[in-house]
Amino acid sequence: MSAIPLNLRGLKCPLPALRVRKALKGAMPGALFVVECTDPMAAIDIPNLMRETGDAIEESRSDGGLLVFHIRKA
């Protein structure tokens, strides 16, 4: 299964978390999303969302102003 990219660059809180939630809701279990955000609040909002949904962040990194999350649907 290939990764599903989610380009959320330029979106401000709470839109990145809401878009991730929507994408995960319609995804099959095991789907992998690669989420790219530029909003610094996403570093807080997306991990909190994963605690709510039970999905997993497999990898997260910050590259300059870009936040990248690898999220696996439970």
Side-chain angles (χ1 to χ4, degrees), residues 15-53:
L15 289 177
L18 294 174
R19 297 274 175 95
V20 170
R21 180 188 297 270
K22 184 177 181 179
L24 287 168
K25 193 173 193 177
M28 298 292 292
L32 176 66
F33 290 88
V34 177
V35 180
E36 296 180 343
C37 306
T38 52
D39 182 9
M41 289 302 294
I44 297 167
D45 293 343
I46 291 180
N48 284 337
L49 175 64
M50 297 304 99
R51 280 190 283 280
E52 275 182 36
T53 63

Side-chain angles (χ1 to χ4, degrees), residues 1-2 4-5 7 9-10 15 18 23 26-29 32 47 51-52 57-59 66-69 72:
M1 184 180 295
S2 62
I4 302 163
N7 182 349
R9 297 174 189 210
L15 289 177
L18 294 174
M28 298 292 292
L32 176 66
R51 280 190 283 280
E52 275 182 36
I57 296 176
E58 293 187 346
E59 179 185 340
L66 181 66
L67 299 169
V68 180
F69 300 92
R72 179 82 58 184

